[in-house]
Amino acid sequence: MADDFILDTDDLTRRMDGAMANLRTEFASLRTGRASASMLEPIMVDAYGSSTPINQVGTVNVPEPRMVTINVWDKGLVGKVEKAIRESGLGINPQLNGTIIMLPIPELNEERRRELGKVAGNYAEHARVSVRNIRRDGMDQIKKAKADGLSEDDQKFWETEVQELTDGYIKKVDAALETKQEEIMQV
C-alpha cells in the first residue's frame, strides 16, 4: 500500500501560495509615503450593524501621489468612516468635504520608516512560520506513510521534495521583505 504513496505537493504549494498572498496583502497595508488605495483595505467600518470593508461603503480614489479620497455613498456613514480611519493606527488625519473624506499622506520621518521596516519584518516572520507549518504537515504525512510501509528511499525522496519546496518559498518571503523594506526606506 505504501509503495504507491504520492504526496500531494500541489496542495502544499497551494497552501504556501496562500501564505505568500497573505504576506502581500499585509505589505500592501503598510504606508510607504505614497498614496495607495490598498492601504485602506484592512480598515473595517461599523455600517448597518456589521463590520464592512471601507471600499464597500464608498469609492476609494488616489487623485494625486500624496492624497487618497473616499467618496462615501451614504451621508450617515461619513462620521463612522472618519472614526474608523482615525482609530486604524495608520497615522492619517482625515479631512471632511461633504461626503468626500480626504486623506493627505504626510512624509514619513526616519524613525517611522524604521518602525515600518520592523513591522514588515514581523509580517515576513509570520509568513515564514506559516510556510514551515505547511512543511511540517507534509513531513507528518511522509512519516505516517513510512509507518505504513513506505521504503526509506521513497521517504528520503519525498522529504527532499518538501524541503526544496519550503526553501523556495522562504526565499520568496525574504525577497518580498527586502523589496518592501527598500520601498519603505526610499525618501
Side-chain angles (χ1 to χ4, degrees):
M1 174 191 130
D3 289 340
D4 55 353
F5 171 78
I6 295 179
L7 184 67
D8 189 359
T9 54
D10 289 343
D11 178 55
L12 297 178
T13 302
R14 182 185 50 75
R15 290 170 57 199
M16 288 183 186
D17 281 339
M20 285 299 298
N22 189 40
L23 177 66
R24 282 188 211 99
T25 302
E26 288 177 328
F27 278 175
S29 71
L30 283 179
R31 195 161 65 84
T32 60
R34 281 193 300 272
S36 162
S38 63
M39 62 195 260
L40 300 176
E41 282 179 8
I43 299 176
M44 302 299 264
V45 179
D46 183 32
Y48 311 116
S50 67
S51 213
T52 310
I54 209 162
N55 62 0
Q56 291 182 13
V57 296
T59 308
V60 180
N61 291 314
V62 183
E64 52 190 79
R66 296 209 164 277
M67 178 73 70
V68 176
T69 61
I70 306 161
N71 188 357
V72 183
W73 299 318
D74 183 351
K75 266 187 181 175
L77 292 177
V78 172
K80 290 182 177 184
V81 172
E82 181 188 19
K83 182 180 178 203
I85 292 167
R86 285 188 196 281
E87 293 175 353
S88 69
L90 279 178
I92 298 174
N93 194 20
Q95 300 170 353
L96 291 176
N97 183 2
T99 59
I100 296 176
I101 299 174
M102 296 181 294
L103 305 171
I105 310 298
E107 189 71 47
L108 293 175
N109 62 17
E110 187 69 22
E111 181 182 339
R112 182 68 177 142
R113 288 179 193 278
R114 291 191 196 291
E115 281 177 31
L116 287 174
K118 288 178 184 174
V119 171
N122 287 340
Y123 288 161
E125 185 55 34
H126 289 299
R128 283 188 210 103
V129 168
S130 295
V131 168
R132 288 187 201 115
N133 285 340
I134 295 164
R135 173 193 174 275
R136 189 190 63 229
D137 291 347
M139 291 299 194
D140 288 347
Q141 291 175 29
I142 295 167
K143 284 179 187 159
K144 187 175 181 299
K146 173 82 168 121
D148 291 342
L150 182 69
S151 73
E152 204 158 309
D153 287 345
D154 287 346
Q155 177 188 7
K156 292 284 184 224
F157 169 79
W158 287 113
E159 285 177 350
T160 303
E161 287 285 309
V162 171
Q163 189 59 49
E164 286 174 358
L165 186 65
T166 303
D167 292 345
Y169 275 90
I170 295 290
K171 283 181 184 156
K172 286 182 184 180
V173 169
D174 292 342
L177 173 62
E178 193 173 312
T179 302
K180 187 63 179 182
Q181 285 181 328
E182 285 174 8
E183 187 181 311
I184 289 170
M185 294 312 282
Q186 272 181 355
V187 178

